[in-house]
Amino acid sequence: MDSQDATEKRIEEFVKMGFTNKEMADMLDISVTTLKRIRLSLGIRKKDVTSVVTDAELDECVMAYVQTNPTDGEVMLKGALESKGVYVTRERLQKAIKRVNPEGVEERKRTTLKRREYCVPGPNALWHIDGNHKLIRWRIVVHGGIDGYSRIPVFLKCSTTNTSEQVLKLFKEAVHEHGLPQRVRSDKGRENVLVCDYITQHALRGPGRGSFIAGRSVHNQRIERLWRDVYKSCLSTYYTLFYQLEDNGLLDICDEVDLFCLHYVLIPEINHRLNSFKETYIHHKIRTAGNKTPLQLWTASMCNGFPMISLMSMPLDEDETAADYGIDHLDEANEEDDAIIVNIPETNALSGNQLQELTANFTPNQKFRDANEACEYYKIVRDFVKALQ
């Protein structure tokens, strides 16, 4: 692909991301006039980006998303549609939401959110990492990391272990995909110690410069805000369903077989939902960031030279300390005990032969239409495993 073809392809991608002519011209290092001429010659108009979908088809897409994410609003919904290649105007989307979910519109009008101040120079300047324990009752933990500048979730994974080895594995995978962050902020949980060792001993980072910042959870605002959306859009569904299974006598948290079967069926399902959430999240617009999406914030900065941040050791400003970096002193209302250690016992229920028989009859990583179908599958697997005992 020659340079001109590459430029034309990038323009098409940037238009789909919603960048303005001025922003695209700056990223491509060309004049706005040149950009407009290229767009005119290629026939790339903003209105051409919108998808050719009927109102009925749009309503069907909106209904499918609302059914699995009933608490999400317009911005997250738009991000979900765009992540699947469906682009519609805001006016059409708002009308579709009102047709499909008028009660949800009224409910969200009554909801307010306190915004927080935050400032880091660019992508990979600071990552926030943490573990979410909303499903810890069922020996399930979600580990996550988010880029503080762009709000892109660099990793988001559900598992049955809360070890430092697991966190380091996810962190290294994120570094391979997104690059090495300048600094990492976390709480004081022991599961983060290997990440601390990794970045403070890294040849491009090292100790004595705030490479790893451990503090109170209340200061880890980016990831704490992400957890709110993760729970609302994803984990709350399983939280409710797991309790329903307990109430119906179909799940006993003291029964190793029940927990094993729950993990066998639902862990892949939850991770599938988390991946879908990530794709939706990077396409949703952020009001406090000039209505840019996380993907736009990341892309624009990278096009303006920020890839080099991974290759340099950037010092803090003279008036900053590592302990204060990437937090907001105006919002410290919630005190949490960061010294709590969350250990997850290993679930051992089947012998090697029994596990082989299970996998031969029930394919791991099965995909389901929704969480309810996954729970029905869990019941079948549970009955099968009980019969093996």
Side-chain angles (χ1 to χ4, degrees), residues 127-133 141-145 155 157 159 161-175 184 186-187 189-196 198 212:
W127 283 8
H128 300 259
I129 65 173
D130 191 27
N132 183 289
H133 302 141
V141 64
V142 179
H143 293 111
F155 66 90
K157 191 71 175 286
S159 68
T161 177
N162 195 40
T163 63
S164 56
E165 289 80 7
Q166 171 71 0
V167 177
L168 178 61
K169 175 178 177 291
L170 296 174
F171 183 82
K172 285 183 174 180
E173 290 173 354
V175 168
V184 178
S186 79
D187 60 23
R190 291 186 182 179
E191 68 273 15
N192 301 315
V193 295
L194 289 183
V195 172
C196 175
Y198 174 81
F212 188 87

CSV table of all heavy atoms in Angstrom, one decimal, residues 127-133 141-145 155 157 159 161-175 184 186-187 189-196 198 212:
chain,number,residue,atom,x,y,z
A,127,TRP,N,-1.3,4.3,34.3
A,127,TRP,CA,-2.3,3.2,34.3
A,127,TRP,C,-2.8,3.0,35.8
A,127,TRP,O,-2.0,3.1,36.7
A,127,TRP,CB,-1.7,1.9,33.8
A,127,TRP,CG,-1.6,1.8,32.4
A,127,TRP,CD1,-1.7,2.8,31.4
A,127,TRP,CD2,-1.2,0.6,31.6
A,127,TRP,NE1,-1.4,2.3,30.2
A,127,TRP,CE2,-1.1,1.0,30.3
A,127,TRP,CE3,-0.9,-0.7,32.0
A,127,TRP,CZ2,-0.8,0.1,29.3
A,127,TRP,CZ3,-0.5,-1.6,31.0
A,127,TRP,CH2,-0.5,-1.2,29.6
A,128,HIS,N,-4.1,2.7,35.9
A,128,HIS,CA,-4.7,2.4,37.2
A,128,HIS,C,-5.0,0.9,37.1
A,128,HIS,O,-5.7,0.5,36.2
A,128,HIS,CB,-5.9,3.3,37.5
A,128,HIS,CG,-5.6,4.7,37.5
A,128,HIS,ND1,-5.5,5.4,38.7
A,128,HIS,CD2,-5.4,5.6,36.5
A,128,HIS,CE1,-5.3,6.7,38.4
A,128,HIS,NE2,-5.2,6.9,37.1
A,129,ILE,N,-4.6,0.1,38.1
A,129,ILE,CA,-5.0,-1.3,38.2
A,129,ILE,C,-5.7,-1.6,39.5
A,129,ILE,O,-5.4,-1.0,40.5
A,129,ILE,CB,-3.8,-2.2,38.0
A,129,ILE,CG1,-2.8,-2.0,39.1
A,129,ILE,CG2,-3.1,-1.9,36.6
A,129,ILE,CD1,-1.6,-3.1,39.1
A,130,ASP,N,-6.5,-2.6,39.5
A,130,ASP,CA,-7.3,-2.9,40.7
A,130,ASP,C,-8.0,-4.3,40.4
A,130,ASP,O,-8.1,-4.7,39.3
A,130,ASP,CB,-8.3,-1.8,41.0
A,130,ASP,CG,-8.9,-2.0,42.4
A,130,ASP,OD1,-8.3,-2.6,43.2
A,130,ASP,OD2,-10.1,-1.5,42.6
A,131,GLY,N,-8.5,-4.8,41.5
A,131,GLY,CA,-9.3,-6.0,41.5
A,131,GLY,C,-10.8,-5.7,41.9
A,131,GLY,O,-10.9,-4.9,42.9
A,132,ASN,N,-11.7,-6.3,41.2
A,132,ASN,CA,-13.1,-6.1,41.6
A,132,ASN,C,-13.7,-7.4,42.3
A,132,ASN,O,-13.6,-8.5,41.7
A,132,ASN,CB,-14.0,-5.8,40.4
A,132,ASN,CG,-15.4,-5.5,40.7
A,132,ASN,OD1,-16.2,-6.4,41.0
A,132,ASN,ND2,-15.8,-4.2,40.6
A,133,HIS,N,-14.2,-7.2,43.5
A,133,HIS,CA,-14.6,-8.4,44.3
A,133,HIS,C,-16.1,-8.5,44.4
A,133,HIS,O,-16.6,-9.1,45.4
A,133,HIS,CB,-14.0,-8.3,45.6
A,133,HIS,CG,-12.5,-8.2,45.6
A,133,HIS,ND1,-11.7,-7.4,46.4
A,133,HIS,CD2,-11.6,-8.8,44.7
A,133,HIS,CE1,-10.5,-7.5,46.1
A,133,HIS,NE2,-10.3,-8.4,45.1
A,141,VAL,N,-13.2,-13.2,40.8
A,141,VAL,CA,-12.6,-11.9,40.9
A,141,VAL,C,-12.4,-11.4,39.5
A,141,VAL,O,-12.0,-12.1,38.6
A,141,VAL,CB,-11.3,-11.9,41.7
A,141,VAL,CG1,-10.2,-12.7,41.0
A,141,VAL,CG2,-10.9,-10.4,42.0
A,142,VAL,N,-12.5,-10.1,39.3
A,142,VAL,CA,-12.3,-9.4,38.0
A,142,VAL,C,-11.1,-8.5,38.2
A,142,VAL,O,-11.1,-7.6,39.1
A,142,VAL,CB,-13.5,-8.6,37.5
A,142,VAL,CG1,-13.1,-8.0,36.1
A,142,VAL,CG2,-14.7,-9.6,37.3
A,143,HIS,N,-10.0,-8.7,37.4
A,143,HIS,CA,-8.9,-7.8,37.5
A,143,HIS,C,-8.9,-6.8,36.3
A,143,HIS,O,-9.2,-7.3,35.1
A,143,HIS,CB,-7.6,-8.6,37.4
A,143,HIS,CG,-7.3,-9.4,38.6
A,143,HIS,ND1,-7.4,-10.8,38.6
A,143,HIS,CD2,-7.1,-9.1,39.9
A,143,HIS,CE1,-7.1,-11.3,39.8
A,143,HIS,NE2,-7.0,-10.2,40.6
A,144,GLY,N,-8.6,-5.6,36.5
A,144,GLY,CA,-8.7,-4.6,35.5
A,144,GLY,C,-7.6,-3.6,35.5
A,144,GLY,O,-7.0,-3.3,36.6
A,145,GLY,N,-7.4,-3.0,34.4
A,145,GLY,CA,-6.4,-1.8,34.3
A,145,GLY,C,-7.0,-0.8,33.3
A,145,GLY,O,-7.6,-1.2,32.3
A,155,PHE,N,-6.8,-3.9,30.3
A,155,PHE,CA,-7.1,-5.3,30.5
A,155,PHE,C,-8.3,-5.4,31.4
A,155,PHE,O,-8.5,-4.5,32.3
A,155,PHE,CB,-5.9,-6.1,31.0
A,155,PHE,CG,-5.4,-5.7,32.4
A,155,PHE,CD1,-5.9,-6.4,33.5
A,155,PHE,CD2,-4.4,-4.8,32.6
A,155,PHE,CE1,-5.5,-6.1,34.8
A,155,PHE,CE2,-3.9,-4.5,33.8
A,155,PHE,CZ,-4.4,-5.1,35.0
A,157,LYS,N,-10.3,-8.8,33.0
A,157,LYS,CA,-10.4,-10.3,32.9
A,157,LYS,C,-11.0,-10.9,34.2
A,157,LYS,O,-10.6,-10.5,35.3
A,157,LYS,CB,-9.0,-10.9,32.6
A,157,LYS,CG,-9.0,-12.4,32.3
A,157,LYS,CD,-9.6,-12.6,30.9
A,157,LYS,CE,-9.4,-14.1,30.5
A,157,LYS,NZ,-8.1,-14.4,30.1
A,159,SER,N,-11.5,-14.2,36.6
A,159,SER,CA,-10.8,-15.5,36.9
A,159,SER,C,-11.2,-16.0,38.3
A,159,SER,O,-11.9,-15.3,39.0
A,159,SER,CB,-9.3,-15.4,36.7
A,159,SER,OG,-8.8,-14.6,37.7
A,161,THR,N,-8.8,-16.8,40.5
A,161,THR,CA,-7.5,-16.6,41.3
A,161,THR,C,-7.2,-15.2,41.5
A,161,THR,O,-7.4,-14.3,40.6
A,161,THR,CB,-6.3,-17.3,40.7
A,161,THR,OG1,-5.2,-17.1,41.4
A,161,THR,CG2,-6.1,-16.8,39.2
A,162,ASN,N,-6.7,-14.8,42.7
A,162,ASN,CA,-6.4,-13.4,43.0
A,162,ASN,C,-4.9,-13.3,43.3
A,162,ASN,O,-4.5,-12.5,44.2
A,162,ASN,CB,-7.2,-13.0,44.2
A,162,ASN,CG,-7.2,-11.4,44.4
A,162,ASN,OD1,-7.3,-10.7,43.4
A,162,ASN,ND2,-7.1,-11.0,45.6
A,163,THR,N,-4.1,-14.1,42.6
A,163,THR,CA,-2.7,-14.1,42.9
A,163,THR,C,-2.0,-13.0,42.2
A,163,THR,O,-2.4,-12.5,41.2
A,163,THR,CB,-2.1,-15.5,42.5
A,163,THR,OG1,-2.2,-15.6,41.1
A,163,THR,CG2,-2.8,-16.6,43.2
A,164,SER,N,-0.8,-12.7,42.7
A,164,SER,CA,0.1,-11.7,42.1
A,164,SER,C,0.6,-12.2,40.7
A,164,SER,O,0.8,-11.4,39.8
A,164,SER,CB,1.3,-11.3,42.9
A,164,SER,OG,2.0,-12.5,43.3
A,165,GLU,N,0.7,-13.5,40.6
A,165,GLU,CA,1.1,-14.1,39.3
A,165,GLU,C,0.1,-13.8,38.2
A,165,GLU,O,0.4,-13.5,37.0
A,165,GLU,CB,1.4,-15.6,39.4
A,165,GLU,CG,2.6,-16.0,40.2
A,165,GLU,CD,2.4,-15.9,41.7
A,165,GLU,OE1,1.2,-15.7,42.1
A,165,GLU,OE2,3.4,-16.1,42.4
A,166,GLN,N,-1.2,-13.9,38.6
A,166,GLN,CA,-2.3,-13.7,37.6
A,166,GLN,C,-2.3,-12.2,37.2
A,166,GLN,O,-2.5,-11.9,36.0
A,166,GLN,CB,-3.6,-14.1,38.2
A,166,GLN,CG,-4.9,-13.7,37.4
A,166,GLN,CD,-5.0,-14.5,36.1
A,166,GLN,OE1,-4.2,-15.4,35.8
A,166,GLN,NE2,-6.1,-14.2,35.4
A,167,VAL,N,-2.2,-11.3,38.1
A,167,VAL,CA,-2.2,-9.9,37.8
A,167,VAL,C,-1.0,-9.5,36.9
A,167,VAL,O,-1.2,-8.8,36.0
A,167,VAL,CB,-2.2,-9.1,39.1
A,167,VAL,CG1,-2.2,-7.6,38.8
A,167,VAL,CG2,-3.4,-9.4,40.0
A,168,LEU,N,0.1,-10.1,37.2
A,168,LEU,CA,1.3,-9.8,36.4
A,168,LEU,C,1.1,-10.3,35.0
A,168,LEU,O,1.5,-9.6,34.0
A,168,LEU,CB,2.6,-10.4,37.0
A,168,LEU,CG,3.9,-10.2,36.3
A,168,LEU,CD1,4.2,-8.7,36.1
A,168,LEU,CD2,5.0,-10.9,36.9
A,169,LYS,N,0.6,-11.5,34.8
A,169,LYS,CA,0.3,-12.0,33.5
A,169,LYS,C,-0.6,-11.1,32.7
A,169,LYS,O,-0.3,-10.8,31.5
A,169,LYS,CB,-0.3,-13.4,33.6
A,169,LYS,CG,-0.8,-14.1,32.3
A,169,LYS,CD,-1.4,-15.4,32.6
A,169,LYS,CE,-1.9,-16.1,31.3
A,169,LYS,NZ,-3.1,-15.4,30.8
A,170,LEU,N,-1.7,-10.6,33.3
A,170,LEU,CA,-2.6,-9.7,32.6
A,170,LEU,C,-1.9,-8.4,32.3
A,170,LEU,O,-2.1,-7.8,31.2
A,170,LEU,CB,-3.8,-9.5,33.4
A,170,LEU,CG,-4.7,-10.7,33.7
A,170,LEU,CD1,-5.8,-10.4,34.7
A,170,LEU,CD2,-5.3,-11.3,32.4
A,171,PHE,N,-1.1,-7.9,33.2
A,171,PHE,CA,-0.4,-6.7,33.0
A,171,PHE,C,0.6,-6.8,31.8
A,171,PHE,O,0.6,-5.9,31.0
A,171,PHE,CB,0.4,-6.3,34.3
A,171,PHE,CG,1.1,-4.9,34.2
A,171,PHE,CD1,0.4,-3.8,34.4
A,171,PHE,CD2,2.4,-4.9,33.9
A,171,PHE,CE1,1.0,-2.5,34.3
A,171,PHE,CE2,3.1,-3.7,33.8
A,171,PHE,CZ,2.3,-2.5,34.0
A,172,LYS,N,1.3,-7.9,31.7
A,172,LYS,CA,2.3,-8.0,30.7
A,172,LYS,C,1.6,-8.1,29.3
A,172,LYS,O,2.1,-7.6,28.3
A,172,LYS,CB,3.1,-9.3,30.9
A,172,LYS,CG,4.2,-9.1,32.0
A,172,LYS,CD,5.0,-10.4,32.1
A,172,LYS,CE,6.2,-10.2,33.0
A,172,LYS,NZ,7.0,-11.5,33.1
A,173,GLU,N,0.4,-8.8,29.3
A,173,GLU,CA,-0.3,-8.9,28.0
A,173,GLU,C,-0.8,-7.5,27.6
A,173,GLU,O,-0.8,-7.2,26.4
A,173,GLU,CB,-1.5,-9.8,28.2
A,173,GLU,CG,-1.2,-11.3,28.4
A,173,GLU,CD,-2.4,-12.2,28.8
A,173,GLU,OE1,-3.5,-11.6,29.0
A,173,GLU,OE2,-2.2,-13.4,28.8
A,174,ALA,N,-1.2,-6.7,28.6
A,174,ALA,CA,-1.6,-5.3,28.2
A,174,ALA,C,-0.4,-4.5,27.7
A,174,ALA,O,-0.6,-3.7,26.8
A,174,ALA,CB,-2.3,-4.7,29.5
A,175,VAL,N,0.7,-4.7,28.3
A,175,VAL,CA,1.9,-3.9,27.9
A,175,VAL,C,2.3,-4.3,26.4
A,175,VAL,O,2.6,-3.5,25.6
A,175,VAL,CB,3.1,-4.2,28.8
A,175,VAL,CG1,4.4,-3.7,28.2
A,175,VAL,CG2,2.9,-3.6,30.2
A,184,VAL,N,2.3,3.3,37.3
A,184,VAL,CA,1.2,2.5,37.6
A,184,VAL,C,0.7,2.9,39.0
A,184,VAL,O,1.5,3.0,39.9
A,184,VAL,CB,1.5,1.0,37.5
A,184,VAL,CG1,0.3,0.2,37.9
A,184,VAL,CG2,2.0,0.6,36.2
A,186,SER,N,-2.0,1.8,42.1
A,186,SER,CA,-2.9,0.8,42.6
A,186,SER,C,-3.1,1.0,44.1
A,186,SER,O,-2.6,1.9,44.7
A,186,SER,CB,-2.3,-0.6,42.4
A,186,SER,OG,-1.3,-0.9,43.4
A,187,ASP,N,-4.0,0.2,44.7
A,187,ASP,CA,-4.1,0.2,46.1
A,187,ASP,C,-3.0,-0.7,46.7
A,187,ASP,O,-2.1,-1.1,46.0
A,187,ASP,CB,-5.5,-0.3,46.6
A,187,ASP,CG,-5.8,-1.7,46.1
A,187,ASP,OD1,-4.9,-2.5,45.9
A,187,ASP,OD2,-7.0,-2.1,46.0
A,189,GLY,N,-3.0,-3.7,47.8
A,189,GLY,CA,-3.3,-5.2,47.8
A,189,GLY,C,-2.0,-6.0,47.5
A,189,GLY,O,-1.2,-5.6,46.6
A,190,ARG,N,-1.9,-7.1,48.1
A,190,ARG,CA,-0.7,-7.9,47.9
A,190,ARG,C,-0.7,-8.5,46.5
A,190,ARG,O,0.4,-9.0,46.0
A,190,ARG,CB,-0.6,-9.1,48.9
A,190,ARG,CG,-0.3,-8.6,50.3
A,190,ARG,CD,-0.1,-9.7,51.3
A,190,ARG,NE,0.1,-9.2,52.6
A,190,ARG,CZ,0.3,-10.1,53.7
A,190,ARG,NH1,0.2,-11.4,53.5
A,190,ARG,NH2,0.5,-9.6,54.9
A,191,GLU,N,-1.8,-8.6,45.8
A,191,GLU,CA,-1.8,-9.2,44.4
A,191,GLU,C,-1.1,-8.3,43.4
A,191,GLU,O,-0.9,-8.7,42.3
A,191,GLU,CB,-3.3,-9.4,44.0
A,191,GLU,CG,-4.1,-8.1,43.7
A,191,GLU,CD,-4.8,-7.6,45.0
A,191,GLU,OE1,-4.4,-8.0,46.1
A,191,GLU,OE2,-5.7,-6.7,44.8
A,192,ASN,N,-0.7,-7.1,43.8
A,192,ASN,CA,0.0,-6.1,42.9
A,192,ASN,C,1.5,-6.1,43.1
A,192,ASN,O,2.2,-5.3,42.4
A,192,ASN,CB,-0.6,-4.7,43.1
A,192,ASN,CG,-2.1,-4.7,42.8
A,192,ASN,OD1,-2.6,-5.2,41.9
A,192,ASN,ND2,-2.8,-4.0,43.7
A,193,VAL,N,2.0,-6.9,44.0
A,193,VAL,CA,3.4,-6.8,44.3
A,193,VAL,C,4.3,-7.2,43.1
A,193,VAL,O,5.4,-6.6,42.9
A,193,VAL,CB,3.8,-7.6,45.5
A,193,VAL,CG1,3.1,-7.1,46.8
A,193,VAL,CG2,3.5,-9.1,45.3
A,194,LEU,N,3.9,-8.1,42.3
A,194,LEU,CA,4.8,-8.5,41.2
A,194,LEU,C,4.8,-7.5,40.1
A,194,LEU,O,5.8,-7.3,39.4
A,194,LEU,CB,4.4,-9.9,40.6
A,194,LEU,CG,4.7,-11.1,41.5
A,194,LEU,CD1,4.3,-12.4,40.9
A,194,LEU,CD2,6.2,-11.1,41.9
A,195,VAL,N,3.6,-6.8,39.9
A,195,VAL,CA,3.6,-5.7,38.9
A,195,VAL,C,4.5,-4.6,39.4
A,195,VAL,O,5.2,-4.0,38.6
A,195,VAL,CB,2.2,-5.2,38.8
A,195,VAL,CG1,2.2,-3.9,37.9
A,195,VAL,CG2,1.3,-6.2,38.1
A,196,CYS,N,4.5,-4.3,40.7
A,196,CYS,CA,5.4,-3.3,41.3
A,196,CYS,C,6.9,-3.7,41.0
A,196,CYS,O,7.7,-2.9,40.5
A,196,CYS,CB,5.2,-3.2,42.8
A,196,CYS,SG,6.3,-2.1,43.7
A,198,TYR,N,8.0,-5.7,38.7
A,198,TYR,CA,8.2,-5.7,37.2
A,198,TYR,C,8.6,-4.2,36.7
A,198,TYR,O,9.6,-4.1,36.0
A,198,TYR,CB,7.0,-6.2,36.5
A,198,TYR,CG,7.1,-6.1,35.0
A,198,TYR,CD1,7.8,-7.1,34.3
A,198,TYR,CD2,6.4,-5.1,34.3
A,198,TYR,CE1,7.8,-7.0,32.9
A,198,TYR,CE2,6.5,-5.0,32.9
A,198,TYR,CZ,7.2,-6.0,32.2
A,198,TYR,OH,7.2,-5.9,30.8
A,212,PHE,N,5.9,3.0,40.4
A,212,PHE,CA,4.7,2.3,40.9
A,212,PHE,C,4.2,3.1,42.2
A,212,PHE,O,5.0,3.3,43.1
A,212,PHE,CB,5.1,0.9,41.3
A,212,PHE,CG,3.9,0.0,41.7
A,212,PHE,CD1,3.1,-0.6,40.8
A,212,PHE,CD2,3.5,0.0,43.1
A,212,PHE,CE1,2.0,-1.4,41.2
A,212,PHE,CE2,2.3,-0.8,43.4
A,212,PHE,CZ,1.6,-1.5,42.5
